């Protein structure tokens, strides 16, 4: 049994070279203290993965070399093989690289071969893939490194590292997900330990895919797989969810946390290289291995077992571990909460501010803040020095303070501010729900009426034009009705920013607050919100989550967070409360106004983005799914209604508040969902084809025996 492996997950921050260096060195020190002789870190860990176009700047590469020089000279990096990530320029091309070092020397540089270039990723914009498979070239090292290592050139390319007792192969993030992953050919050529450095973002219900691929790879090939992933918010919309792991022969030996406030987490495992070799004795594997092409081996004069041979391993790292997955509700509670903590502490603001409407969306955002405060309290109770120091600074405590944020409600009272902005159309029920929710989580709550501000703006318009707009229930046109709703929403945004800047001052504190938005992914997709309204904010924790998932999350939090007030939010009808109640005494309903349910919106969203459906193909799929309880013409009308509203509101995505990426059908225009914002909303050709097909198809919804389907 050899304690030879380690994987790390770091909470890196793009362009924070000093902080990133400290975290890397700390991870190496922890690894060595546990007896490990191989340390693997996350992708591009020196500059941070999310530098984006900063990767095109020579400064980013220069500073990465400077940090690597510091690591090479450090005491921590002696007598241990380290796999470290940074960008490198080779022959005037930028490459996403792993630098293998050992005791003050660079062993080799392995550039990434297959790039992540869809969804949230644009690696081909910043890096060149290495397509010379099983080939290396000599890379000329910069003077700053030559002065440290005494080396002028090192191998650069697709090779493997050979120690006295085993062979190590590098696989980078996306390469695991490709159909012909490098680990297959490396394993056939005798590589026994695979390292994978990753910056894989969190998405609801996604983690199992990663783990299944790694288990399958090592089950079929045999071998030890070290997966190191970044964790936290590194400066953009993604939350990297850690879950670093060590697998051997299809079994998970150790796994890091998926959601944590820790800056550095290291996992180790006791592994038996003999078990890998025994796993590879099958006849078919031997035949394929004998025919495989050889990789160039770069030799390191060391043994990963430290020359100790068989020894007793640490009890905590023996055997396999059961993989436990969080439920989607737990993921919503934890992922955005961790991202919000990173954003708050790194922006150096005094806390968060949210306009509470009494509805379920702002309620969900508030509960996520409550979850963040619970995580802070838990980490502080366990003595996490970094969390305690950050919490003291945010709460306005001096550095030598003895304050410990171990009570989530008490901590929320220092850093979380809520406000109910009522008008003449607001109901007592929503006002009370907002107040009760803020009290339940410990927030500092303000209640106000803003009718004076609304009347003033309407008065200015009337003074200039001589006309006074009316709501629809009073005989006004749709243009008047919409404008009168929008001015209320936009004034709430103005008031939100004013209160966010001045409320800490009013309480005798310093600093400003970050304004939180509360528009869910379905409303963004449909465009059911006002541009530059109270959903416009600094950040939006729920902007990547569907209404359906949010309701399930609130039901979960009611029990697991012991917040009985949440039941009243689940029972309430979603309403914006922006228009007077009409003669029928029925309040404004979101789903009635949208002309579609939130459940339907989730279906449209997944078909549009994930399954890449235009109007015509979406209609075809929905006929198969909904045809037993809706006629083809009814389905056609729903599809056309969705695409019309999607098109006329697509421009709103250009101003969407940055939100944590959580859902695979996010309409975020910034990077994830690149589509025009001016679309032909009538879709004349597409809609005509839908209508023609709908007329030809039989109406299964009216056939006998389908009554139950109709009810469902």
């Amino acid at each position: 049994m050899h304690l030879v492996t380690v994987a790390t997950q770091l909470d890196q921050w793009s362009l924070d070279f000093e902080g990133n260096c400290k975290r890397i060195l700390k991870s190496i020190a922890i690894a060595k203290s546990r007896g490990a002789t191989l340390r693997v870190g996350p992708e591009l860990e020196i500059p941070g993965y999310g530098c984006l176009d900063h990767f095109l700047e020579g400064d980013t590469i220069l500073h990465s070399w400077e940090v690597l020089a510091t690591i090479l000279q450090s005491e921590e990096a002696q007598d241990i093989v380290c796999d470290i990530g940074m960008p490198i320029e080779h022959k005037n091309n930028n490459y996403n690289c792993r630098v293998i070092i050992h005791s003050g020397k660079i062993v080799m540089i392995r550039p990434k071969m297959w790039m992540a270039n869809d969804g949230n990723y644009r690696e081909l914009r910043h890096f060149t893939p290495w397509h010379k498979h099983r080939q290396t070239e000599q890379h000329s090292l910069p003077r700053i490194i030559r002065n440290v290592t005494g080396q002028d050139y090192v191998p650069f390319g697709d090779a493997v590292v050979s120690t006295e007792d085993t062979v190590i192969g590098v696989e980078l993030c996306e390469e695991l997900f490709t159909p012909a992953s490098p680990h297959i050919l490396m394993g056939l050529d005798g590589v026994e330990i695979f390292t994978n450095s990753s910056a894989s973002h969190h998405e609801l219900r996604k983690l199992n895919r990663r783990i299944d691929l790694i288990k399958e790879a090592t089950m079929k090939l045999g071998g030890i797989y070290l997966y190191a992933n970044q964790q936290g918010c590194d400066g953009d919309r993604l939350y990297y969810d850690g879950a670093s792991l060590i697998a051997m022969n299809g079994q998970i030996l150790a796994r890091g946390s998926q959601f944590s406030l820790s800056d550095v987490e290291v996992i180790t495992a006791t592994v038996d290289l003999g078990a890998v070799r025994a796993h590879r004795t099958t006849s078919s594997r031997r035949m394929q291995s004998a025919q495989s092409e050889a990789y160039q081996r770069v030799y390191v004069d060391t043994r990963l077992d430290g020359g100790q041979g068989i020894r007793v391993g640490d009890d905590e790292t023996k055997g396999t571990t059961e993989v436990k997955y969080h439920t989607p509700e737990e993921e919503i509670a934890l992922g955005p909460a961790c991202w919000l903590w990173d954003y708050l502490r790194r922006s150096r603001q005094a806390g968060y501010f949210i306009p509470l409407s009494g509805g379920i969306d702002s309620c969900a955002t508030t509960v996520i803040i409550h979850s963040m405060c619970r995580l802070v309290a838990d980490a502080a109770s366990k003595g996490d020095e970094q969390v305690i120091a950050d919490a003291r600074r945010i709460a306005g405590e001096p550095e030598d303070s003895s304050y410990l944020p171990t009570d989530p409600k008490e901590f929320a009272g220092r850093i979380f501010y809520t406000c109910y902005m009522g008008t003449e159309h607001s109901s007592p029920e929503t006002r009370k729900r907002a107040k009760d929710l803020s009290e339940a989580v410990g927030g500092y709550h303000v209640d106000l009426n803003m009718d004076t501000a609304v009347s003033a703006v309407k008065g200015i318009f009337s003074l200039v034009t001589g006309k006074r707009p009316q709501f629809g229930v009073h005989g006004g046109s749709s243009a008047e009705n919409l404008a009168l709703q929008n001015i209320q929403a936009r004034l709430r945004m103005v008031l939100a920013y004013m209160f966010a800047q001045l409320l800490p001052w009013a309480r005798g504190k310093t600093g400003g607050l970050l304004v939180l938005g509360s528009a869910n992914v379905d409303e963004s997709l449909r465009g059911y919100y006002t541009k530059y309204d109270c959903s416009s904010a600094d950040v939006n924790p729920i902007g990547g989550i569907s209404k359906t998932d949010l309701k399930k999350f609130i039901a979960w939090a009611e029990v697991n967070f012991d917040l009985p007030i949440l039941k009243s939010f689940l029972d309430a009808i979603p309403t914006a409360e922006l228009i007077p109640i009409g003669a029928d005494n029925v309040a404004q309903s979101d789903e009635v106004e949208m002309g579609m349910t939130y459940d339907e919106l989730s279906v449209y969203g997944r078909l549009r983005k994930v399954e890449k459906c235009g109007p015509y193909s979406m209609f075809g799929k929905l006929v198969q799914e909904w045809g037993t309880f809706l006629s083809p013409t009814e389905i056609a009308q729903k599809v056309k209604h969705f695409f019309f509203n999607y098109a006329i509101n697509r421009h709103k995505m250009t101003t969407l508040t940055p939100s944590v990426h959580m859902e695979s059908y996010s309409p975020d225009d910034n990077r994830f969902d690149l589509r025009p914002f001016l679309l032909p909303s009538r879709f004349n050709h597409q809609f005509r084809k839908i209508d023609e097909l709908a007329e030809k198809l039989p109406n299964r919804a009216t056939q006998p025996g389908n009554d139950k389907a109709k009810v469902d």
Side-chain angles (χ1 to χ4, degrees):
M1 301 291 288
H2 310 292
L3 185 64
V4 299
T5 60
V6 60
T8 65
Q9 53 193 51
L10 306 178
D11 194 340
Q12 303 295 69
W13 188 12
S14 296
L15 302 180
D16 179 23
F17 291 98
E18 288 187 3
N20 292 347
C21 183
K22 290 177 181 177
R23 287 182 282 272
I24 290 169
L25 291 174
K26 182 178 179 180
S27 72
I28 299 172
I30 295 172
K32 287 180 67 175
S33 71
R34 297 182 185 174
T37 50
L38 170 61
R39 176 267 183 202
V40 185
E43 190 172 10
L44 292 166
E45 58 192 301
I46 288 181
Y49 180 82
C51 293
L52 302 173
D53 281 0
H54 289 290
F55 283 126
L56 302 177
E57 300 167 1
D59 285 8
T60 303
I61 295 175
L62 168 65
H63 299 323
S64 295
W65 280 120
E66 291 168 345
V67 170
L68 183 65
T70 300
I71 295 171
L72 284 164
Q73 297 174 82
S74 69
E75 178 62 31
E76 290 90 340
Q78 305 308 307
D79 302 316
I80 183 171
V81 177
C82 292
D83 179 346
I84 295 173
M86 61 178 279
I88 291 176
E89 183 182 356
H90 178 72
K91 293 184 176 179
N92 304 124
N93 292 319
N94 282 2
Y95 291 92
N96 175 351
C97 295
R98 304 305 300 177
V99 183
I100 313 302
I101 67 173
H102 177 255
S103 293
K105 301 285 186 180
I106 294 178
V107 176
M108 64 166 283
I109 300 171
R110 163 53 156 89
K112 192 171 185 177
M113 297 190 296
W114 304 110
M115 298 295 176
N117 205 60
D118 50 15
N120 288 294
Y121 299 98
R122 299 287 180 275
E123 288 185 354
L124 285 176
R125 180 183 176 97
H126 308 119
F127 300 109
T128 302
W130 181 259
H131 282 165
K132 300 176 182 178
H133 298 174
R134 297 192 190 83
Q135 297 179 44
T136 63
E137 299 174 351
Q138 290 298 301
H139 179 75
S140 177
L141 294 172
R143 184 170 299 278
I144 187 175
I145 300 298
R146 294 184 184 201
N147 292 339
V148 171
T149 67
Q151 299 167 287
D152 294 329
Y153 299 92
V154 295
F156 184 102
D158 185 19
V160 298
V161 176
S162 180
T163 68
E164 289 184 37
D165 52 348
T166 189
V167 183
I168 305 164
V170 175
E171 189 166 71
L172 269 82
C173 195
E174 180 71 13
E175 295 173 357
L176 169 66
F177 295 86
T178 57
S181 296
H183 68 254
I184 298 171
L185 294 178
M186 287 192 293
L188 290 174
D189 191 41
V191 171
E192 295 176 328
I193 298 177
F194 307 96
T195 69
N196 186 311
S197 303
S198 194
S200 186
H201 69 278
H202 173 246
E203 204 171 83
L204 291 176
R205 309 169 179 89
K206 175 190 173 188
L207 178 61
N208 63 309
R209 184 183 175 210
R210 251 188 264 159
I211 293 179
D212 288 347
L213 283 171
I214 292 171
K215 288 173 66 176
E216 181 184 359
T218 57
M219 172 64 76
K220 188 163 59 174
L221 263 179
I224 299 156
Y225 205 100
L226 311 181
Y227 176 81
N229 192 27
Q230 182 160 308
Q231 187 172 68
C233 163
D234 74 344
D236 206 64
R237 290 161 170 79
L238 303 184
Y239 174 73
Y240 301 98
D241 61 340
S244 298
L245 58 84
I246 299 172
M248 184 175 73
N249 298 347
Q251 300 293 320
I252 304 300
L253 304 183
R255 202 198 93 175
S257 64
Q258 188 179 8
F259 306 104
S260 170
L261 303 188
S262 298
D263 274 354
V264 178
E265 187 174 344
V266 177
I267 58 171
T268 55
T270 303
V271 296
D272 183 3
L273 294 174
V276 174
R277 292 156 191 167
H279 191 89
R280 291 180 168 183
T281 57
T282 58
S283 176
S284 57
R285 187 264 170 197
R286 294 201 308 270
M287 286 188 286
Q288 289 191 340
S289 175
Q291 299 175 42
S292 68
E293 294 184 42
Y295 279 80
Q296 178 182 335
R297 279 161 163 72
V298 181
Y299 294 92
V300 182
D301 186 17
T302 187
R303 294 181 61 90
L304 291 192
D305 67 2
Q308 299 181 45
I310 297 175
R311 57 181 170 152
V312 178
D314 186 339
D315 287 340
E316 294 182 0
T317 62
K318 286 182 180 177
T320 61
T321 183
E322 181 183 353
V323 177
K324 295 182 179 178
Y325 297 103
H326 290 287
T327 65
E329 292 78 19
E330 290 171 332
E331 290 184 271
I332 293 171
L334 297 170
C338 292
W339 187 92
L340 284 170
W341 177 245
D342 273 352
Y343 198 100
L344 177 59
R345 70 192 181 106
R346 289 172 171 171
S347 66
R348 304 188 76 84
Q349 297 297 303
Y352 283 115
F353 174 92
I354 183 172
L356 287 181
S357 67
I360 203 162
D361 290 327
S362 59
C363 167
T365 299
T366 299
V367 175
I368 289 171
I369 290 290
H370 176 63
S371 177
M372 181 194 81
C373 293
R374 290 169 62 100
L375 289 171
V376 170
D378 182 62
S381 299
K382 294 175 180 176
D384 190 311
E385 295 180 1
Q386 184 65 58
V387 171
I388 293 171
D390 287 330
R392 286 174 179 168
R393 176 176 50 79
I394 294 167
E397 293 287 336
E399 290 186 9
D400 59 352
S401 169
S402 60
Y403 170 68
L404 289 176
T406 53
D407 182 340
K409 288 186 64 174
E410 186 276 336
F411 183 60
R414 293 168 175 257
I415 61 100
F416 186 44
Y417 296 70
T418 64
C419 181
Y420 182 83
M421 303 179 189
T423 69
E424 59 183 324
H425 312 305
S426 303
S427 67
E429 291 79 14
T430 55
R431 187 184 297 270
K432 184 177 187 304
R433 280 201 301 272
K435 180 175 180 294
D436 291 348
L437 175 62
S438 184
E439 288 181 354
V441 301
Y444 180 85
H445 188 64
V446 175
D447 191 309
L448 61 88
N449 285 319
M450 50 181 283
D451 290 317
T452 305
V454 176
S455 297
V457 174
K458 289 193 295 185
I460 292 172
F461 180 84
S462 298
L463 183 65
V464 172
T465 64
K467 292 182 176 293
R468 188 167 188 83
Q470 300 291 324
F471 283 104
V473 296
H474 298 150
S477 66
S478 59
E480 295 171 70
N481 197 61
L482 186 59
L484 290 175
Q485 293 182 70
N486 287 347
I487 193 57
Q488 296 172 68
R490 288 182 173 129
L491 281 173
R492 283 175 173 146
M493 181 195 71
V494 174
L495 287 172
Y497 275 97
M498 181 178 183
F499 274 77
Q501 289 174 321
L502 294 178
L503 270 182
W505 167 78
R507 296 180 70 190
K509 297 176 177 287
T510 58
L513 306 174
L514 293 163
V515 179
L516 294 172
S518 295
N520 62 65
V521 70
D522 294 328
E523 290 172 343
S524 299
L525 176 65
R526 165 63 171 73
Y528 186 67
Y529 67 94
T530 303
K531 204 173 185 179
Y532 306 116
D533 71 346
C534 57
S535 65
S536 299
D538 294 313
V539 291
N540 180 6
I542 67 166
I545 307 173
S546 72
K547 189 83 162 191
T548 303
D549 280 335
L550 285 175
K551 290 162 90 171
K552 293 177 181 176
F553 163 61
I554 293 301
W556 175 89
E558 178 192 353
V559 176
N560 290 273
F561 288 168
D562 191 23
L563 293 171
I565 179 62
L566 299 184
K567 179 69 164 57
S568 63
F569 286 86
L570 288 169
D571 294 339
I573 297 173
T575 174
E577 291 191 333
L578 294 172
I579 61 176
I581 294 178
D584 55 4
N585 207 35
V586 175
Q588 179 184 19
S589 166
D590 289 352
E591 292 187 330
V592 171
E593 281 215 334
M594 290 192 301
M596 59 190 75
T597 67
Y598 283 107
D599 287 342
E600 288 173 343
L601 260 174
S602 293
V603 174
Y604 299 145
R606 287 191 173 86
L607 289 175
R608 181 197 67 95
K609 176 65 179 174
V610 180
E611 299 193 31
K612 301 173 178 61
C613 290
Y616 187 72
S617 54
M618 182 182 290
F619 168 73
K621 286 181 179 290
L622 288 179
V623 166
Q624 301 301 315
E625 293 183 25
W626 294 352
T628 56
F629 55 91
L630 289 174
S631 70
T633 53
E634 288 174 317
I635 296 171
Q637 184 56 39
K638 284 179 175 290
V639 170
K640 291 189 293 182
H641 181 63
F642 163 71
F643 270 100
F644 172 76
N645 284 281
Y646 161 74
I648 65 172
N649 289 301
R650 178 66 188 169
H651 65 95
K652 296 180 181 180
M653 295 301 97
T654 63
T655 63
L656 196 65
T657 296
S659 59
V660 192
H661 178 85
M662 295 282 284
E663 185 56 78
S664 59
Y665 69 90
S666 168
D668 178 13
D669 179 68
N670 183 267
R671 268 179 289 281
F672 183 71
D673 190 29
L674 302 181
R675 287 172 167 81
F677 60 82
L678 181 61
L679 291 166
S681 59
R682 299 295 174 184
F683 292 97
N684 292 333
H685 180 79
Q686 298 94 319
F687 286 3
R688 185 176 69 253
K689 296 291 290 183
I690 289 174
D691 290 338
E692 290 172 358
L693 182 57
E695 289 296 323
K696 294 177 183 177
L697 292 173
N699 183 0
R700 291 184 294 152
T702 59
Q703 293 176 4
N706 284 331
D707 291 341
K708 183 179 185 300
K710 289 183 188 179
V711 173
D712 290 344

